[in-house]
Amino acid sequence: MSDQPYEGRYEGQYEGYDPYPQPQQQQRQGQPQQQQPQQPEWQQHTQQWEGQTWETQVQPSMPAADTTYPPPQGYQAYPEPQTYGTVGQPQPQPLPQEAPAPTRAPEWTPAYQPPVQQAPGTGTGSAVTPDTASGYGPPTVTGNARVTDAQRARAEGRSPIIEPGIQPAALTAVLGLLLSGTAAIGQYALVVPLVLLQAVTAAGWFRLNGMWPARQGIALAFLGAVTADVALLAAGRENAPAAILGTLGVWVLLTLVLQLRSHADPDTRMYGLMATVTSAALAIIATGHLAAEPDAVTVGAAAVAVAILARALPLPTAASVVVALLAAAGAGIAVGGMTDLGSKGAFLGLGAGVCALIGHRVASYDYPSRFVHFTAGVALPLAAAAPAVYLLGRALG
């Protein structure tokens, strides 16, 4: 090892930095060789290792067992740490990384897909075909709505309108004759079949709109009808419009307040509000039988009973409607001859028959069930005829 400082300018390419310089074996040119000083014995032992670099890793004599775990599939393994070699050895280059796959936006899938009916014999793609026994489609993860009778009728090309039939028409005729008979007895006797009519009207409208049991709505509509009856009896027939319209206004406001307190979604609350208001309005309007003149109620209720029975006859629709209107007018003439109305009863019977057929048509809408026919199908013809009975009775009386 030389103790002389380095006096020349370094020329040449820098190969790397060696943190552990080794003793020089040759003397620089142009300098005399000098005698190396005597070194202690402990330093002589520390200079016995000669080489380019110091080894910082201990190489095992036998290969060790591989204890590493393979990387999971779908993930890129990290490169193992590299040990750099001696001076001048090229450094390892980083592994090329694959470009990440472009992310694809999730496709929107509607939560509800209406069932698609497939015509028999077409041979096209698969469609949701409801089970003929239960009326439900195949089970799915996202759910499958029940195919109603009206949807099945439309898919098969049939009309979704089903008329109540002869049995509900018979019940309507019985209730109409009860109204006609009790009206001739007295106002308080008329209250009994009228309250029954109002209860069936309130329940039938909710069931016609697919809301069942809807106990609160039915109770609210029926309570409004009873309130209108009590108000009319207290105020008298001369104040009937104020009693009926006042009760209707109060009940609309009460229904609106109750629906605003509901925690359902806005669409459900709006649907419930409209159904409750309509049911209460129909039940309250039926109070018109109690407000009309007794002779008008006698003629009008009898005309409705005969018209609905004629409408239930197995005839084409147009012919059935004509026969029903003629029967209502004839019943008006016949019953009117027993009262002070006389032949004017034909006009009252015809008007009541038209309103009754409208209520009958509403009760037949959208393929209703048998229970709808025995509630809305029975009550709506008589409830819809109440305004005509009241107005025509006052006009003709």
Side-chain angles (χ1 to χ4, degrees):
M1 178 181 296
S2 174
D3 294 335
Q4 298 296 329
Y6 178 73
E7 296 180 356
R9 184 169 58 88
Y10 177 77
E11 296 181 358
Q13 184 178 3
Y14 177 71
E15 298 293 341
Y17 173 71
D18 190 1
Y20 303 97
Q22 299 298 326
Q24 307 250 352
Q25 299 297 331
Q26 296 180 358
Q27 299 294 331
R28 297 183 179 87
Q29 297 180 1
Q31 293 185 1
Q33 182 176 5
Q34 298 181 1
Q35 183 69 25
Q36 297 290 339
Q38 187 69 25
Q39 297 181 359
E41 183 179 357
W42 61 274
Q43 292 184 1
Q44 294 179 2
H45 292 285
T46 58
Q47 297 179 0
Q48 293 179 1
W49 292 276
E50 295 181 0
Q52 298 295 331
T53 57
W54 291 87
E55 294 292 340
T56 58
Q57 283 187 330
V58 178
Q59 301 294 335
S61 58
M62 295 180 64
D66 188 8
T67 59
T68 60
Y69 294 94
Q73 297 182 358
Y75 295 89
Q76 183 179 2
Y78 290 97
E80 297 182 356
Q82 300 291 334
T83 304
Y84 296 99
T86 58
V87 178
Q89 181 178 356
Q91 298 181 359
Q93 299 297 328
L95 296 176
Q97 298 182 359
E98 297 180 358
T103 58
R104 184 177 181 182
E107 297 180 357
W108 177 80
T109 303
Y112 168 73
Q113 295 180 356
V116 180
Q117 299 292 337
Q118 180 182 356
T122 55
T124 55
S126 60
V128 179
T129 304
D131 188 5
T132 56
S134 62
Y136 289 88
T140 59
V141 177
T142 58
N144 185 19
R146 181 180 183 272
V147 179
T148 62
D149 295 333
Q151 292 175 349
R152 182 182 293 109
R154 289 190 181 96
E156 295 176 357
R158 296 184 287 106
S159 174
I161 304 301
I162 299 297
E163 298 176 358
I166 190 62
Q167 293 181 354
L171 293 177
T172 303
V174 171
L175 188 56
L177 293 178
L178 287 176
L179 290 173
S180 179
T182 54
I185 297 174
Q187 191 176 20
Y188 289 95
L190 180 60
V191 173
V192 178
L194 178 61
V195 171
L196 179 61
L197 171 64
Q198 291 169 334
V200 179
T201 301
W205 184 260
F206 277 96
R207 190 63 183 92
L208 183 63
N209 285 268
M211 303 177 65
W212 189 257
R215 298 182 181 92
Q216 296 180 356
I218 295 173
L220 183 62
F222 177 69
L223 183 60
V226 173
T227 303
D229 297 341
V230 174
L232 180 60
L233 291 175
R237 284 195 178 97
E238 60 275 8
N239 298 319
I244 295 176
L245 296 179
T247 305
L248 181 59
V250 172
W251 241 250
V252 170
L253 181 61
L254 179 61
T255 304
L256 180 61
V257 172
L258 293 178
Q259 288 297 327
L260 289 177
R261 293 170 57 89
S262 175
H263 298 286
D265 56 278
D267 293 338
T268 303
R269 283 187 293 177
M270 181 59 67
Y271 190 70
L273 174 64
M274 297 305 298
T276 306
V277 169
T278 306
S279 178
L282 290 173
I284 293 173
I285 287 175
T287 312
H289 290 292
L290 190 63
E293 296 294 332
D295 291 343
V297 178
T298 301
V299 174
V304 171
V306 174
I308 294 302
L309 283 176
R311 183 67 177 86
L313 296 177
L315 297 174
T317 302
S320 177
V321 170
V322 172
V323 171
L325 293 178
L326 292 177
I333 295 175
V335 180
M338 303 177 187
T339 63
D340 296 337
L341 288 176
S343 60
K344 297 179 182 179
F347 297 99
L348 195 150
L350 182 61
V354 170
C355 294
L357 293 183
I358 294 175
H360 181 272
R361 173 63 177 78
V362 173
S364 307
Y365 176 70
D366 204 11
Y367 215 102
S369 64
R370 184 177 180 86
F371 189 83
V372 173
H373 286 160
F374 278 94
T375 53
V378 171
L380 285 184
L382 288 168
V389 171
Y390 174 77
L391 295 175
L392 291 177
R394 291 180 62 89
L396 298 175

